Amino acid sequence: MNDIFLKACRREKVPYTPVWIMRQAGRYMKEYRDIREKYSFISLCKTPDLAAEVTLTPVKKLDVDAAILFSDILILAEAMGLDIVFNEKDGPQIKNPVRDNSSVDALFVPDPEDKVPFVMETIRILRKNLERGIPLIGFSGAPFTLASYMVEGGTSRNFTIIKRMMYQNPSLYHPLLDKITKSISLYVSAQIKAGAQAIQLFDTWAGILSPEDYRDFALPYTKAIIEEVKGKGVPIILYINGSSGLLELMKESGSDVISLDWRIDLDKAINILGKDIAIQGNLDPCALFLPPDKIEKRVKDMLEKAKDATGHIFNLGHGILPETSVENVIAMVEAVHKFSKRSPELA
């Protein structure tokens, strides 16, 4: 079995740095666009055979070392009772945002096998069809990010509604986060039972918090999920976009791997985090617009900066951009595999 990715998550010696692409890489590929001409985004998420196909396409074409489940973080919010319109152009729109006690009370903690069985079936299909033993990563939004969508009603520029709730109505905010945390714990546990071999928590919007607010309003809930899942034998990866000021707190979460965006050099992140935790990252997605020789140089430089990490998984610092050339992504993957081998250049 090709378990280099999982070994890197667990901070073991591996022959090269594994690489995978931040979730939904398939969305920018022609194969995905062809499918989308026939099906809506949400139909893809809820049709296991199609979701599995979209998951497998970038793995087969890009030669990455792991696959990540095709889905959406708001699938769980919908299962909790929210009415959501999934619109790729304008972003998701929640028709009944959570802003008072009655709306928190109306939410329920869903049984994943009952409310989102298509996610579990997609995982089971993928485990049967992934080639070369490539591991499958399941995922969820982390509690603060999921709450941000649920309270704001969709994407936001300033996050004033949820921040106001945090500051002015903590007796509303904390019960909401408790319910979301319980739901995520059940959700990712069900993914593991179905066959996911690692879990990534995307706390994309937590980077808008100050360190003090992250410690008080986000970290305890993420930590509770990780503590719940830790005993299930799979590594946990935590990602925050804009995390440079939160790295020490992220380490307190107990996550096996800290996933980094591109706004900090890997060697500096290692100095902050220490060498007893694995890192993931962190090429700027826009760097894939460089010519292949420049991409190769960026990759080599990043691997040099990461060489003291106990474990390192190469990745983009955020999601891949729709305009990205497939050939340039392939060039990046090939460069990682070329330069991360135990050669004199990086010894």
Side-chain angles (χ1 to χ4, degrees):
M1 175 179 177
N2 179 1
D3 60 352
I4 289 173
F5 178 90
L6 297 177
K7 284 185 176 181
C9 285
R10 297 186 175 106
R11 305 184 294 282
E12 298 179 27
K13 296 283 187 182
V14 294
Y16 64 81
T17 299
V19 56
W20 68 287
I21 310 300
M22 194 69 80
R23 75 185 182 92
Q24 317 305 28
R27 291 192 190 186
Y28 82 104
M29 303 178 79
K30 180 182 183 299
E31 292 86 347
Y32 172 79
R33 295 195 301 270
D34 289 344
I35 294 175
R36 279 288 280 111
E37 289 180 0
K38 302 175 184 177
Y39 304 96
S40 69
F41 169 72
I42 196 61
S43 293
L44 287 186
C45 291
K46 294 184 178 181
T47 307
D49 287 338
L50 294 175
E53 180 181 348
V54 174
T55 300
L56 291 170
T57 298
V59 176
K60 294 175 179 177
K61 193 156 188 175
L62 304 178
D63 194 31
V64 291
D65 297 294
I68 186 161
L69 174 70
F70 180 86
S71 188
D72 190 272
I73 64 173
L74 291 182
I75 291 291
L76 180 58
E78 184 181 57
M80 292 179 70
L82 295 187
D83 185 2
I84 305 174
V85 176
F86 290 87
N87 187 321
E88 280 194 296
K89 182 178 179 181
D90 302 319
Q93 305 294 317
I94 298 174
K95 295 183 178 181
N96 54 336
V98 181
R99 295 177 183 172
D100 54 34
N101 288 311
S102 62
S103 56
V104 172
D105 292 340
L107 294 173
F108 54 90
V109 177
D111 176 350
E113 288 286 1
D114 178 50
K115 293 297 183 180
V116 288
F118 48 87
V119 174
M120 309 312 148
E121 181 59 21
T122 300
I123 291 172
R124 287 188 279 267
I125 292 171
L126 285 166
R127 284 301 305 274
K128 292 177 182 177
N129 289 279
L130 276 167
E131 298 177 359
R132 296 181 288 120
I134 289 176
L136 175 64
I137 307 164
F139 76 90
S140 174
F144 176 79
T145 289
L146 204 56
S148 297
Y149 281 107
M150 294 168 73
V151 172
E152 296 283 340
T155 56
S156 176
R157 176 171 294 182
N158 297 312
F159 298 90
T160 53
I161 303 175
I162 191 166
K163 282 193 168 185
R164 184 179 298 170
M165 181 187 290
M166 283 165 36
Y167 296 145
Q168 297 182 356
N169 200 349
S171 63
L172 176 61
Y173 176 86
H174 289 295
L176 170 61
L177 269 288
D178 282 335
K179 195 168 271 192
I180 291 172
T181 298
K182 292 174 184 175
S183 298
I184 294 172
S185 293
L186 289 174
Y187 184 48
V188 296
S189 294
Q191 290 185 36
I192 294 166
K193 184 177 180 181
Q197 294 156 286
I199 295 292
Q200 177 142 358
L201 295 176
F202 288 93
D203 211 353
T204 308
W205 302 128
I208 59 101
L209 298 173
S210 69
E212 180 181 2
D213 286 341
Y214 179 73
R215 180 185 290 280
D216 292 343
F217 295 106
L219 177 60
Y221 300 103
T222 298
K223 190 174 181 179
I225 293 168
I226 292 172
E227 288 176 349
E228 175 70 22
V229 176
K230 273 276 190 173
K232 302 186 184 298
V234 304
I236 312 296
I237 307 164
L238 176 61
Y239 173 79
I240 295 177
N241 189 22
S243 61
S244 298
L246 302 175
L247 293 181
E248 291 173 315
L249 291 171
M250 290 175 71
K251 186 176 180 180
E252 291 183 21
S253 70
S255 174
D256 298 289
V257 184
I258 299 298
S259 184
L260 305 163
D261 66 21
W262 65 94
R263 299 174 182 90
I264 186 169
D265 288 335
L266 293 180
D267 52 352
K268 293 180 180 177
I270 294 166
N271 285 336
I272 294 170
L273 291 167
K275 298 180 181 180
D276 59 339
I277 190 166
I279 60 170
Q280 176 181 286
N282 66 340
L283 185 69
D284 183 345
C286 286
L288 292 178
F289 297 132
L290 289 165
D293 62 322
K294 300 291 186 182
I295 293 173
E296 186 173 281
K297 183 179 185 304
R298 289 282 183 105
V299 167
K300 186 177 180 181
D301 290 345
M302 288 176 59
L303 291 170
E304 174 66 25
K305 290 176 180 176
K307 67 180 182 181
D308 290 333
T310 306
H312 176 219
I313 302 160
F314 195 98
N315 200 349
L316 299 178
H318 198 237
I320 199 163
L321 300 170
E323 304 85 358
T324 306
S325 160
V326 173
E327 290 70 26
N328 282 13
V329 181
I330 293 172
M332 178 195 73
V333 175
E334 290 177 346
V336 175
H337 288 161
K338 172 184 176 181
F339 290 117
S340 67
K341 292 179 181 178
R342 304 303 181 194
S343 66
E345 294 174 275
L346 293 176

